Amino acid sequence: MQSELSGGFTQAPQQAAQAFRACLEAMARPGQVQAIRGAAPPAPLSPAAGAVLLTLVDQAVTLHLAPSHDTPAIRAWVAFHCGAQLVDAEQADFALGTWAALGPIERFAIGTPDYPDRSATLIVEMAAFGAANARLSGPGIASVQEADLPAIPAIQQNHAQFPLGLDFLLCSGAQVFGLPRSTKVEAL
């Protein structure tokens, strides 16, 4: 049985730096899968999503747990390791869950014209990264990058709001890739 005290970084300085680098690379190179390790969170939280939480979420930010991940074990783990205040979707800086459980994504903050950075980042858990169903282009992509996305029309609508909009970190197992709001998405 796992305790909320376990599952964090065992070599915090090195693992936190490596995980932070993976998160930066994921957002700087949309669609390129990055390895991210070090966390052993309670199920159904993937090691990748756990490492993202340990790296980006702390007591200075708010977190929304979608029903897919709103369990007593995850609440306790987040409280101990991150200290983030858990809030409703509309007040969240970060949100965690499966795509279906996070929806509708329109309820998350997309920023304002004066402060586009006041938007939410969604940490989307996927069972696996499957065959590519989308073509990505934009900043950080040399020409095009293919990726497996959960809901292309919703992500296209998000991009249409740029510079406002949501940013996404998609996690599966010990892998993560980023999808910033600046990325153009076309269905394959």
Side-chain angles (χ1 to χ4, degrees):
M1 182 171 134
Q2 182 174 2
S3 160
E4 65 268 5
L5 303 179
S6 64
F9 292 141
T10 55
Q11 298 175 339
Q14 296 87 357
Q15 290 172 310
Q18 291 165 348
F20 186 69
R21 179 65 180 199
C23 290
L24 286 177
E25 289 290 325
M27 293 305 283
R29 292 169 175 72
Q32 286 188 13
V33 175
Q34 307 293 322
I36 187 167
R37 295 180 176 81
L45 195 54
S46 70
V52 168
L53 289 175
L54 291 173
T55 304
L56 302 179
V57 176
D58 61 19
Q59 66 275 8
V61 301
T62 57
L63 175 67
H64 172 72
L65 295 176
S68 62
H69 286 68
D70 191 359
T71 68
I74 291 177
R75 281 179 170 265
W77 193 84
V78 166
F80 180 78
H81 291 283
C82 305
Q85 178 185 359
L86 299 179
V87 297
D88 292 333
E90 296 78 11
Q91 289 82 39
D93 297 314
F94 289 88
L96 168 70
T98 63
W99 183 267
L102 286 166
I105 65 169
E106 294 78 19
R107 56 195 182 132
F108 294 100
I110 61 166
T112 66
D114 290 336
Y115 299 99
D117 60 316
R118 294 184 181 167
S119 64
T121 298
L122 275 54
I123 303 165
V124 182
E125 289 269 37
M126 297 178 65
F129 296 139
N133 63 357
R135 182 178 298 116
L136 313 178
S137 60
I141 301 171
S143 57
V144 295
Q145 174 72 42
E146 293 185 353
D148 177 22
L149 300 180
I152 294 170
I155 294 171
Q156 289 172 324
Q157 288 176 330
N158 181 66
H159 169 72
Q161 301 175 89
F162 184 78
L164 305 180
L166 305 170
D167 295 316
F168 304 93
L169 286 165
L170 295 97
C171 300
S172 180
Q175 298 180 314
V176 62
F177 75 85
L179 190 65
R181 67 190 89 174
S182 59
T183 303
K184 182 179 177 185
V185 175
E186 299 171 292
L188 285 178

